[in-house]
Amino acid sequence: MAPKIFLLGATGYIGGDALYALVQTHPEYEIACLVRNSDKGAQVASQYVKARLVYGTLDDGDILGQEAKKADIVLNCANADNENAVNALTKGLAARAAETPGFYIHTSGNAILFVADIDRKIYGETSSKIYNDWEGIGEVTSLPDHAPHRKNDKNVISAEGPKVKTAIICPPTIYGPGRGPGNQRSHQIPELARSMLEKKKGLQVGVGENLGPNVHVHDLSDCYVKLVEAAVEGGGNATWGKEGYYFAENGEHIWGHISKAVAKAAHKQGFLPSDEVVSISEKEADDLAWWGSALWGANSRFRAIRARKLLGWLPKKAAKDLDGDILEVVSAEAKSLGLVPGHAAKVAG
């Protein structure tokens, strides 16, 4: 029988691209997608006629539980912090009639490693601390409870049992256009570009020396596919449970360099008077975007070892792809802000 997958986040950036990769790689999988309404359902159905639509939200525990009970694997690419969803989904998997365990794959995020800078209230400065998901896994799974995403990560880990096997994928800054049926826009770099275009100047938090890893969304989706394939094999070579934590990265950037690249691209395209970058405070960053101080000013350094070693994950995109993506991001954000005239306006002169 074909594996049954219940996917959450199908019209989002991460989940939409993961759905695309799963269908392209394994068209035989039976996939059900949670959607909020008929408009979202139409987006999915137009691209994936075989997908079964499940109407509901992350707060509809009964619906989530029933769908998880029908599934072999639950792939949650939606809100990392919704505890109701995690609890309902893992309980549903535990109630499956099959003797074999069900698998729950959860999406967390690199904000969990912002905690040291948040506690110190220091942004834009460099850090030498680098985490990893192999010999350093104990540090990752014992971060303080007030770290972002940590509370729900613990819920996922504690759900592990004879009938439920759990794993967490933790992405960093994600770049590249998505291939899903809904949102195809990332967040951190596009929001930085939007803020610069609105303020008409290049911006960085503090001295801009903080660092973070990055991954192309297509490579991230390949990681999801590899982990789902392991689950289909009954667990495969993957680690599940407390040590089933997978970072996903293929390089590292300095945020000040990202700011300079965005400013340079915006100036080159005629949207900024110069490519100069100015420093902004924590408060100024938060005024520009929700949690902008941490998104652009906190350190989150890690190395993805587990997926490479156990799953054979081989990301293909590199730093040059991030540089090229910034040019496209600036153009897209300018267009969304109405700074680039559309076809009708060009024709009208």
Side-chain angles (χ1 to χ4, degrees), residues 199-226:
K199 291 296 182 181
K200 303 294 184 186
K201 58 186 176 182
L203 307 167
Q204 69 181 28
V205 178
V207 295
E209 293 180 352
N210 54 299
L211 298 100
N214 54 71
V215 70
H216 194 283
V217 67
H218 299 177
D219 286 333
L220 174 61
S221 291
D222 286 345
C223 190
Y224 282 111
V225 171
K226 294 287 188 184

PDB file of all heavy atoms in Angstrom, residues 199-226:
ATOM      1  N   LYS A 199      12.546  52.802   3.619  1.00  0.00           N
ATOM      2  CA  LYS A 199      13.320  53.844   4.290  1.00  0.00           C
ATOM      3  C   LYS A 199      14.276  54.573   3.344  1.00  0.00           C
ATOM      4  O   LYS A 199      14.885  55.574   3.720  1.00  0.00           O
ATOM      5  CB  LYS A 199      14.104  53.249   5.459  1.00  0.00           C
ATOM      6  CG  LYS A 199      13.237  52.795   6.618  1.00  0.00           C
ATOM      7  CD  LYS A 199      12.513  53.971   7.250  1.00  0.00           C
ATOM      8  CE  LYS A 199      11.690  53.567   8.429  1.00  0.00           C
ATOM      9  NZ  LYS A 199      10.959  54.719   9.031  1.00  0.00           N
ATOM     10  N   LYS A 200      14.447  54.048   2.126  1.00  0.00           N
ATOM     11  CA  LYS A 200      15.322  54.643   1.108  1.00  0.00           C
ATOM     12  C   LYS A 200      16.781  54.683   1.540  1.00  0.00           C
ATOM     13  O   LYS A 200      17.541  55.579   1.184  1.00  0.00           O
ATOM     14  CB  LYS A 200      14.855  56.074   0.759  1.00  0.00           C
ATOM     15  CG  LYS A 200      13.418  56.175   0.283  1.00  0.00           C
ATOM     16  CD  LYS A 200      13.234  55.462  -1.048  1.00  0.00           C
ATOM     17  CE  LYS A 200      11.820  55.637  -1.576  1.00  0.00           C
ATOM     18  NZ  LYS A 200      11.575  54.827  -2.795  1.00  0.00           N
ATOM     19  N   LYS A 201      17.182  53.662   2.321  1.00  0.00           N
ATOM     20  CA  LYS A 201      18.581  53.596   2.719  1.00  0.00           C
ATOM     21  C   LYS A 201      18.924  52.184   3.172  1.00  0.00           C
ATOM     22  O   LYS A 201      18.055  51.417   3.600  1.00  0.00           O
ATOM     23  CB  LYS A 201      18.902  54.584   3.834  1.00  0.00           C
ATOM     24  CG  LYS A 201      18.077  54.423   5.100  1.00  0.00           C
ATOM     25  CD  LYS A 201      18.385  55.543   6.084  1.00  0.00           C
ATOM     26  CE  LYS A 201      17.497  55.456   7.331  1.00  0.00           C
ATOM     27  NZ  LYS A 201      17.754  56.571   8.266  1.00  0.00           N
ATOM     28  N   GLY A 202      20.217  51.851   3.067  1.00  0.00           N
ATOM     29  CA  GLY A 202      20.690  50.557   3.532  1.00  0.00           C
ATOM     30  C   GLY A 202      20.710  50.496   5.042  1.00  0.00           C
ATOM     31  O   GLY A 202      21.032  51.485   5.708  1.00  0.00           O
ATOM     32  N   LEU A 203      20.393  49.323   5.609  1.00  0.00           N
ATOM     33  CA  LEU A 203      20.250  49.186   7.054  1.00  0.00           C
ATOM     34  C   LEU A 203      20.919  47.919   7.560  1.00  0.00           C
ATOM     35  O   LEU A 203      20.889  46.878   6.898  1.00  0.00           O
ATOM     36  CB  LEU A 203      18.762  49.121   7.439  1.00  0.00           C
ATOM     37  CG  LEU A 203      17.841  50.236   6.924  1.00  0.00           C
ATOM     38  CD1 LEU A 203      16.389  49.842   7.113  1.00  0.00           C
ATOM     39  CD2 LEU A 203      18.150  51.545   7.649  1.00  0.00           C
ATOM     40  N   GLN A 204      21.525  48.022   8.740  1.00  0.00           N
ATOM     41  CA  GLN A 204      22.006  46.838   9.438  1.00  0.00           C
ATOM     42  C   GLN A 204      21.822  47.063  10.926  1.00  0.00           C
ATOM     43  O   GLN A 204      21.795  48.192  11.399  1.00  0.00           O
ATOM     44  CB  GLN A 204      23.475  46.543   9.125  1.00  0.00           C
ATOM     45  CG  GLN A 204      24.446  47.561   9.698  1.00  0.00           C
ATOM     46  CD  GLN A 204      25.898  47.250   9.351  1.00  0.00           C
ATOM     47  OE1 GLN A 204      26.190  46.643   8.336  1.00  0.00           O
ATOM     48  NE2 GLN A 204      26.823  47.691  10.198  1.00  0.00           N
ATOM     49  N   VAL A 205      21.678  45.970  11.679  1.00  0.00           N
ATOM     50  CA  VAL A 205      21.507  46.070  13.123  1.00  0.00           C
ATOM     51  C   VAL A 205      22.871  46.184  13.784  1.00  0.00           C
ATOM     52  O   VAL A 205      23.736  45.315  13.599  1.00  0.00           O
ATOM     53  CB  VAL A 205      20.745  44.858  13.680  1.00  0.00           C
ATOM     54  CG1 VAL A 205      20.627  44.950  15.202  1.00  0.00           C
ATOM     55  CG2 VAL A 205      19.360  44.752  13.047  1.00  0.00           C
ATOM     56  N   GLY A 206      23.084  47.247  14.523  1.00  0.00           N
ATOM     57  CA  GLY A 206      24.360  47.466  15.193  1.00  0.00           C
ATOM     58  C   GLY A 206      25.506  47.513  14.201  1.00  0.00           C
ATOM     59  O   GLY A 206      25.409  48.132  13.143  1.00  0.00           O
ATOM     60  N   VAL A 207      26.583  46.797  14.531  1.00  0.00           N
ATOM     61  CA  VAL A 207      27.741  46.782  13.636  1.00  0.00           C
ATOM     62  C   VAL A 207      27.626  45.682  12.581  1.00  0.00           C
ATOM     63  O   VAL A 207      28.499  45.556  11.718  1.00  0.00           O
ATOM     64  CB  VAL A 207      29.054  46.619  14.428  1.00  0.00           C
ATOM     65  CG1 VAL A 207      29.295  47.826  15.313  1.00  0.00           C
ATOM     66  CG2 VAL A 207      29.041  45.339  15.252  1.00  0.00           C
ATOM     67  N   GLY A 208      26.558  44.893  12.646  1.00  0.00           N
ATOM     68  CA  GLY A 208      26.288  43.912  11.597  1.00  0.00           C
ATOM     69  C   GLY A 208      27.252  42.748  11.532  1.00  0.00           C
ATOM     70  O   GLY A 208      27.438  42.147  10.467  1.00  0.00           O
ATOM     71  N   GLU A 209      27.841  42.367  12.669  1.00  0.00           N
ATOM     72  CA  GLU A 209      28.846  41.298  12.654  1.00  0.00           C
ATOM     73  C   GLU A 209      28.293  39.947  13.109  1.00  0.00           C
ATOM     74  O   GLU A 209      29.037  38.969  13.214  1.00  0.00           O
ATOM     75  CB  GLU A 209      30.034  41.697  13.534  1.00  0.00           C
ATOM     76  CG  GLU A 209      30.817  42.880  12.969  1.00  0.00           C
ATOM     77  CD  GLU A 209      31.997  43.274  13.841  1.00  0.00           C
ATOM     78  OE1 GLU A 209      32.106  42.718  14.961  1.00  0.00           O
ATOM     79  OE2 GLU A 209      32.787  44.137  13.420  1.00  0.00           O
ATOM     80  N   ASN A 210      27.006  39.872  13.402  1.00  0.00           N
ATOM     81  CA  ASN A 210      26.414  38.596  13.809  1.00  0.00           C
ATOM     82  C   ASN A 210      26.311  37.651  12.612  1.00  0.00           C
ATOM     83  O   ASN A 210      26.217  38.090  11.460  1.00  0.00           O
ATOM     84  CB  ASN A 210      25.031  38.831  14.414  1.00  0.00           C
ATOM     85  CG  ASN A 210      24.108  39.619  13.511  1.00  0.00           C
ATOM     86  OD1 ASN A 210      24.406  40.769  13.171  1.00  0.00           O
ATOM     87  ND2 ASN A 210      23.012  39.019  13.103  1.00  0.00           N
ATOM     88  N   LEU A 211      26.336  36.359  12.906  1.00  0.00           N
ATOM     89  CA  LEU A 211      26.378  35.349  11.851  1.00  0.00           C
ATOM     90  C   LEU A 211      25.198  34.386  11.942  1.00  0.00           C
ATOM     91  O   LEU A 211      24.605  34.181  13.005  1.00  0.00           O
ATOM     92  CB  LEU A 211      27.677  34.535  11.932  1.00  0.00           C
ATOM     93  CG  LEU A 211      28.989  35.289  11.754  1.00  0.00           C
ATOM     94  CD1 LEU A 211      29.621  35.571  13.105  1.00  0.00           C
ATOM     95  CD2 LEU A 211      29.953  34.490  10.892  1.00  0.00           C
ATOM     96  N   GLY A 212      24.912  33.777  10.804  1.00  0.00           N
ATOM     97  CA  GLY A 212      23.877  32.755  10.768  1.00  0.00           C
ATOM     98  C   GLY A 212      24.029  31.872   9.552  1.00  0.00           C
ATOM     99  O   GLY A 212      24.613  32.288   8.543  1.00  0.00           O
ATOM    100  N   PRO A 213      23.543  30.639   9.613  1.00  0.00           N
ATOM    101  CA  PRO A 213      23.609  29.742   8.460  1.00  0.00           C
ATOM    102  C   PRO A 213      22.468  30.009   7.495  1.00  0.00           C
ATOM    103  O   PRO A 213      21.511  30.729   7.811  1.00  0.00           O
ATOM    104  CB  PRO A 213      23.485  28.357   9.092  1.00  0.00           C
ATOM    105  CG  PRO A 213      22.714  28.598  10.348  1.00  0.00           C
ATOM    106  CD  PRO A 213      22.998  30.003  10.795  1.00  0.00           C
ATOM    107  N   ASN A 214      22.576  29.433   6.306  1.00  0.00           N
ATOM    108  CA  ASN A 214      21.512  29.585   5.317  1.00  0.00           C
ATOM    109  C   ASN A 214      21.338  28.299   4.531  1.00  0.00           C
ATOM    110  O   ASN A 214      22.217  27.439   4.506  1.00  0.00           O
ATOM    111  CB  ASN A 214      21.807  30.765   4.376  1.00  0.00           C
ATOM    112  CG  ASN A 214      23.170  30.656   3.725  1.00  0.00           C
ATOM    113  OD1 ASN A 214      23.410  29.816   2.865  1.00  0.00           O
ATOM    114  ND2 ASN A 214      24.105  31.530   4.142  1.00  0.00           N
ATOM    115  N   VAL A 215      20.190  28.192   3.868  1.00  0.00           N
ATOM    116  CA  VAL A 215      19.912  27.034   3.024  1.00  0.00           C
ATOM    117  C   VAL A 215      18.913  27.443   1.954  1.00  0.00           C
ATOM    118  O   VAL A 215      18.017  28.264   2.200  1.00  0.00           O
ATOM    119  CB  VAL A 215      19.358  25.854   3.857  1.00  0.00           C
ATOM    120  CG1 VAL A 215      17.942  26.123   4.359  1.00  0.00           C
ATOM    121  CG2 VAL A 215      19.397  24.551   3.073  1.00  0.00           C
ATOM    122  N   HIS A 216      19.106  26.932   0.749  1.00  0.00           N
ATOM    123  CA  HIS A 216      18.141  27.170  -0.321  1.00  0.00           C
ATOM    124  C   HIS A 216      16.903  26.323  -0.048  1.00  0.00           C
ATOM    125  O   HIS A 216      16.997  25.190   0.418  1.00  0.00           O
ATOM    126  CB  HIS A 216      18.748  26.813  -1.672  1.00  0.00           C
ATOM    127  CG  HIS A 216      17.962  27.330  -2.838  1.00  0.00           C
ATOM    128  ND1 HIS A 216      16.787  26.731  -3.269  1.00  0.00           N
ATOM    129  CD2 HIS A 216      18.180  28.387  -3.673  1.00  0.00           C
ATOM    130  CE1 HIS A 216      16.331  27.390  -4.312  1.00  0.00           C
ATOM    131  NE2 HIS A 216      17.140  28.412  -4.569  1.00  0.00           N
ATOM    132  N   VAL A 217      15.736  26.871  -0.335  1.00  0.00           N
ATOM    133  CA  VAL A 217      14.497  26.167  -0.017  1.00  0.00           C
ATOM    134  C   VAL A 217      14.410  24.822  -0.730  1.00  0.00           C
ATOM    135  O   VAL A 217      13.833  23.864  -0.194  1.00  0.00           O
ATOM    136  CB  VAL A 217      13.268  27.059  -0.337  1.00  0.00           C
ATOM    137  CG1 VAL A 217      13.131  27.301  -1.835  1.00  0.00           C
ATOM    138  CG2 VAL A 217      11.993  26.467   0.254  1.00  0.00           C
ATOM    139  N   HIS A 218      14.976  24.695  -1.931  1.00  0.00           N
ATOM    140  CA  HIS A 218      14.951  23.415  -2.625  1.00  0.00           C
ATOM    141  C   HIS A 218      15.790  22.370  -1.890  1.00  0.00           C
ATOM    142  O   HIS A 218      15.398  21.196  -1.800  1.00  0.00           O
ATOM    143  CB  HIS A 218      15.457  23.568  -4.060  1.00  0.00           C
ATOM    144  CG  HIS A 218      14.645  24.497  -4.898  1.00  0.00           C
ATOM    145  ND1 HIS A 218      14.980  24.809  -6.201  1.00  0.00           N
ATOM    146  CD2 HIS A 218      13.515  25.191  -4.629  1.00  0.00           C
ATOM    147  CE1 HIS A 218      14.100  25.656  -6.684  1.00  0.00           C
ATOM    148  NE2 HIS A 218      13.200  25.911  -5.754  1.00  0.00           N
ATOM    149  N   ASP A 219      16.923  22.788  -1.355  1.00  0.00           N
ATOM    150  CA  ASP A 219      17.754  21.867  -0.580  1.00  0.00           C
ATOM    151  C   ASP A 219      17.059  21.473   0.713  1.00  0.00           C
ATOM    152  O   ASP A 219      17.135  20.317   1.153  1.00  0.00           O
ATOM    153  CB  ASP A 219      19.102  22.506  -0.273  1.00  0.00           C
ATOM    154  CG  ASP A 219      20.028  22.556  -1.480  1.00  0.00           C
ATOM    155  OD1 ASP A 219      19.886  21.695  -2.368  1.00  0.00           O
ATOM    156  OD2 ASP A 219      20.875  23.462  -1.535  1.00  0.00           O
ATOM    157  N   LEU A 220      16.388  22.430   1.345  1.00  0.00           N
ATOM    158  CA  LEU A 220      15.639  22.125   2.562  1.00  0.00           C
ATOM    159  C   LEU A 220      14.570  21.072   2.269  1.00  0.00           C
ATOM    160  O   LEU A 220      14.390  20.116   3.030  1.00  0.00           O
ATOM    161  CB  LEU A 220      14.997  23.400   3.114  1.00  0.00           C
ATOM    162  CG  LEU A 220      14.057  23.223   4.314  1.00  0.00           C
ATOM    163  CD1 LEU A 220      14.789  22.618   5.507  1.00  0.00           C
ATOM    164  CD2 LEU A 220      13.422  24.559   4.699  1.00  0.00           C
ATOM    165  N   SER A 221      13.868  21.231   1.154  1.00  0.00           N
ATOM    166  CA  SER A 221      12.832  20.268   0.793  1.00  0.00           C
ATOM    167  C   SER A 221      13.412  18.885   0.551  1.00  0.00           C
ATOM    168  O   SER A 221      12.791  17.866   0.876  1.00  0.00           O
ATOM    169  CB  SER A 221      12.070  20.745  -0.448  1.00  0.00           C
ATOM    170  OG  SER A 221      11.292  21.886  -0.139  1.00  0.00           O
ATOM    171  N   ASP A 222      14.601  18.834   0.001  1.00  0.00           N
ATOM    172  CA  ASP A 222      15.264  17.542  -0.178  1.00  0.00           C
ATOM    173  C   ASP A 222      15.503  16.860   1.166  1.00  0.00           C
ATOM    174  O   ASP A 222      15.431  15.632   1.276  1.00  0.00           O
ATOM    175  CB  ASP A 222      16.596  17.717  -0.905  1.00  0.00           C
ATOM    176  CG  ASP A 222      16.434  18.006  -2.387  1.00  0.00           C
ATOM    177  OD1 ASP A 222      15.324  17.788  -2.915  1.00  0.00           O
ATOM    178  OD2 ASP A 222      17.411  18.455  -3.017  1.00  0.00           O
ATOM    179  N   CYS A 223      15.789  17.652   2.191  1.00  0.00           N
ATOM    180  CA  CYS A 223      15.992  17.094   3.525  1.00  0.00           C
ATOM    181  C   CYS A 223      14.692  16.490   4.052  1.00  0.00           C
ATOM    182  O   CYS A 223      14.689  15.385   4.629  1.00  0.00           O
ATOM    183  CB  CYS A 223      16.513  18.175   4.466  1.00  0.00           C
ATOM    184  SG  CYS A 223      17.081  17.563   6.073  1.00  0.00           S
ATOM    185  N   TYR A 224      13.574  17.196   3.849  1.00  0.00           N
ATOM    186  CA  TYR A 224      12.270  16.641   4.238  1.00  0.00           C
ATOM    187  C   TYR A 224      12.010  15.328   3.512  1.00  0.00           C
ATOM    188  O   TYR A 224      11.565  14.342   4.118  1.00  0.00           O
ATOM    189  CB  TYR A 224      11.150  17.626   3.912  1.00  0.00           C
ATOM    190  CG  TYR A 224      11.009  18.768   4.886  1.00  0.00           C
ATOM    191  CD1 TYR A 224      11.316  20.076   4.514  1.00  0.00           C
ATOM    192  CD2 TYR A 224      10.552  18.557   6.180  1.00  0.00           C
ATOM    193  CE1 TYR A 224      11.186  21.129   5.395  1.00  0.00           C
ATOM    194  CE2 TYR A 224      10.411  19.600   7.073  1.00  0.00           C
ATOM    195  CZ  TYR A 224      10.734  20.898   6.678  1.00  0.00           C
ATOM    196  OH  TYR A 224      10.603  21.927   7.569  1.00  0.00           O
ATOM    197  N   VAL A 225      12.270  15.306   2.214  1.00  0.00           N
ATOM    198  CA  VAL A 225      12.029  14.095   1.427  1.00  0.00           C
ATOM    199  C   VAL A 225      12.854  12.938   1.969  1.00  0.00           C
ATOM    200  O   VAL A 225      12.348  11.812   2.139  1.00  0.00           O
ATOM    201  CB  VAL A 225      12.350  14.341  -0.065  1.00  0.00           C
ATOM    202  CG1 VAL A 225      12.324  13.016  -0.839  1.00  0.00           C
ATOM    203  CG2 VAL A 225      11.341  15.313  -0.675  1.00  0.00           C
ATOM    204  N   LYS A 226      14.118  13.180   2.269  1.00  0.00           N
ATOM    205  CA  LYS A 226      14.988  12.130   2.790  1.00  0.00           C
ATOM    206  C   LYS A 226      14.463  11.571   4.111  1.00  0.00           C
ATOM    207  O   LYS A 226      14.497  10.351   4.353  1.00  0.00           O
ATOM    208  CB  LYS A 226      16.402  12.669   3.002  1.00  0.00           C
ATOM    209  CG  LYS A 226      17.148  13.066   1.740  1.00  0.00           C
ATOM    210  CD  LYS A 226      17.579  11.871   0.937  1.00  0.00           C
ATOM    211  CE  LYS A 226      18.491  12.276  -0.208  1.00  0.00           C
ATOM    212  NZ  LYS A 226      18.836  11.115  -1.065  1.00  0.00           N
TER     213      LYS A 226
END
